[in-house]
Amino acid sequence: MGRLETGIHKGRLTPAEYDANFSDLHPRLNDHEALVAADRCYFCYDAPCMTACPTSIDIPLFIRQISTGNPIGSAKTIFDQNILGGMCARVCPTEQLCEQDCVRNTAEERPVEIGRLQRYATDIAMAENKQFYARTASTGKKIAVVGAGPAGLACAHRLAVKGHEVVIFDAREKAGGLNEYGIATYKAVDDFAQKEVDYVLSIGGIEVKNGQALGRDFSLADLSSQYDAVFLGLGLAGVNALRADGENLDGVADAVAYIADLRQADDKADIAIGRRVVVLGGGMTAIDAAVQAKLLGAEEVTICYRRGKEHMNASEYEQDLAASKGVMIRHWLAPKRILDKDGKVAGIEVEYTELRDGKLTGTGDIGVIAADQIFKAIGQTFEASGLGALRMEASRIAIDGEGRTSLDGVWAGGDCVLGGDDLTVSAVAQGRDAAESINHALAASTQPNAAVA
C-alpha cells in the first residue's frame, strides 16, 4: 500500500521508517556532553531559573553536582522537589519556564540545557535503581488518591514517605495519566512512563486499583467515610465540541484519543492515518497530533488555528519542531464546515478571521482545505460525577493555597482544579504540596488537645 494513497490507511511506511521516525527526539546526553553543558551554568546564587520552575528544583545545585561528576547526588536534588523529574525533563516546556529565564540568554541568546541535564541525572539514577527515600514508621492512617496521573503519583509518593498507607484509584488500565496516554510517543520512548511509575511505587505503601472510576464504582462520600483523607487528582475527560457541520463524519477524530492509541500501539503500522490531515487547534496537543501524523506517513499535514502565531499555547520551540517535520501551520482560520464524500471526510471549509476591537471576528472570506482526516485539538473539559457537594468554580474544583477543597478531609490538584495549566510539572507541585498539607492535618488530628488548639 503506497503512502500516497488517498483515504485513511495503515502501514504507510516501512518498519525501518517507523523505527526512525519514532526514535527518541532528544537522546540522553553522554558523560562528556553533560559536563560541557553543565560548565555553561553560572551557578547563580539568586537563580531566576529556580523561580521559574513550578516545583522549585535547586537548578544551580543539581547542575553543579553534574559538573563535579556526581549525577546520583544531582538526581536526589531533583527528586527531592519533583519525584517525576524524569518525565518532566522530557515533556516540560523548559523553553518557556526555567530556560527562558536563564541568564545565559542575555549574553548568548542560548540558555543552559537545563531539561537535558535533568534527564541525564535522573536517567542514571533510575537505571541504577537508586532509591533515595525510605518510609518512616507507619502512622496507621490511610489516604485515598483518585487519579494515577502526575498529581496523584506525586501526592501518593510524598504521603508514603511520611508513613501513611495510600490507595490510588484510576479509571484506566495503566497508571501514569497523561504521561502514559497523552504525551507524543517520540518524547518518551521505551515505555518510560511505566518505568517511572514503577520507580515511584517502589517506595512501598502504595496500592493502585485500576479500572476504578469515580462516580461509577465509588463516590467521594464513599471514600471520605472509609479513609482518613482524600486527594483528587482527576484529569480532563471531556472534549470540547467543534460545533461545525460534519463533525460526526467518518474521519473526524479526537486528537487526545489518537495520541493515546498511538502510545499504546505495539506496532505503529497498526495506526491508520490519512494522506491529507488537518489538525484544529493551537496547543501542545495540536502540535503532538500533527507531528505524529507526519511521522506516520501522512503526505500533507496542516494545523489550522483561529488566531495568530503569538496567541498559540504551543511554545515557539514546538511550533518550530512541527515546521521542521513538514507540518504547515496556518493562522487566522476558523472551521466552518467539514465537507464529505460518501459519508467520509473530503475536506474542511474555513473562514478567515481577524481581531476587531479585541474580538475575534470572521471576515466572510471562505476557503477550502482538502483532507481525508481531521483531528480536533481544541481543548478538554473537566467532567466528573460522584463529587457530591464539592464547591466548583469555572467548571473546576475550587481549592485554597494548600490544595484544600470546600469539604473537610478532601484535597485536590492537577488539571481538575481551578487555575490548572495542563503542565505535568505544575500537577506534580500541586500533588506534592497537598501531601504536605494532608500530613500536617493528620498529624494535628492525632495530637492531644488538638481540638482545643
Side-chain angles (χ1 to χ4, degrees), residues 144 146 169 213-232 234 384-390 405 407-411:
V146 184
F169 299 86
L214 177 67
R216 184 190 68 195
D217 302 298
F218 57 88
S219 67
L220 181 55
D222 294 332
L223 298 181
S224 294
S225 66
Q226 298 170 26
Y227 292 86
D228 296 291
V230 178
F231 175 78
L232 300 174
L234 301 163
S385 58
L387 294 175
L390 196 68
T405 72
L407 298 179
D408 288 340
V410 180
W411 285 254

Side-chain angles (χ1 to χ4, degrees), residues 144-389:
V145 172
V146 184
L153 289 170
C155 181
H157 184 272
R158 185 61 63 97
L159 289 170
V161 169
K162 303 290 187 183
H164 307 300
E165 296 290 329
V166 183
V167 179
I168 303 178
F169 299 86
D170 195 88
R172 292 188 183 264
E173 296 180 0
K174 296 180 182 179
L178 282 181
N179 285 355
E180 173 60 38
Y181 292 96
I183 300 298
T185 304
Y186 55 82
K187 293 181 179 178
V189 302
D190 299 328
D191 204 25
F192 180 79
Q194 285 307 299
K195 291 177 181 177
E196 187 172 58
V197 168
D198 293 341
Y199 184 78
V200 170
L201 298 181
S202 64
I203 185 69
I206 305 172
E207 178 186 3
V208 180
K209 295 186 176 182
N210 295 106
Q212 297 291 305
L214 177 67
R216 184 190 68 195
D217 302 298
F218 57 88
S219 67
L220 181 55
D222 294 332
L223 298 181
S224 294
S225 66
Q226 298 170 26
Y227 292 86
D228 296 291
V230 178
F231 175 78
L232 300 174
L234 301 163
L236 302 180
V239 178
N240 285 328
L242 185 59
R243 295 186 176 87
D245 291 342
E247 183 174 2
N248 298 318
L249 285 172
D250 184 14
V252 180
D254 168 31
V256 174
Y258 153 70
I259 291 171
D261 289 344
L262 182 56
R263 280 194 59 82
Q264 299 306 306
D266 294 327
D267 186 347
K268 301 297 184 292
D270 291 336
I271 302 298
I273 197 70
R275 178 186 176 189
R276 296 189 178 98
V277 176
V278 171
V279 180
L280 304 174
M284 296 295 291
T285 299
I287 297 292
D288 285 354
V291 170
Q292 292 188 119
K294 194 69 177 176
L295 297 181
L296 285 169
E299 179 183 0
E300 298 176 7
V301 180
T302 304
I303 292 176
C304 291
Y305 181 56
R306 61 197 179 109
R307 294 180 181 269
K309 175 183 176 68
E310 67 277 16
H311 303 120
M312 292 183 72
N313 287 331
S315 68
E316 187 170 346
Y317 166 81
E318 291 288 338
Q319 295 179 51
D320 290 343
L321 172 66
S324 74
K325 300 298 183 181
V327 174
M328 178 181 292
I329 303 178
R330 299 184 61 179
H331 304 99
W332 304 109
L333 291 177
K336 294 292 290 182
R337 181 167 62 97
I338 297 175
L339 309 176
D340 74 289
K341 181 179 180 181
D342 301 326
K344 297 182 179 180
V345 170
I348 183 167
E349 185 180 271
V350 294
E351 181 180 13
Y352 287 86
T353 59
E354 63 182 11
L355 287 177
R356 294 177 186 170
D357 299 324
K359 183 178 180 181
L360 188 69
T361 306
T363 65
D365 293 330
I366 303 296
V368 172
I369 302 173
D372 41 36
Q373 192 170 30
I374 294 173
F375 289 113
K376 298 183 294 181
I378 52 177
Q380 293 180 276
T381 58
F382 176 57
E383 292 182 356
S385 58
L387 294 175

Side-chain angles (χ1 to χ4, degrees), residues 27-39 66 113 116-117 120:
R28 188 178 94 193
L29 299 172
N30 61 36
D31 293 344
H32 176 70
E33 291 170 333
L35 290 174
V36 172
D39 192 52
I66 291 175
E113 293 181 284
R116 297 194 73 185
L117 286 168
Y120 170 77

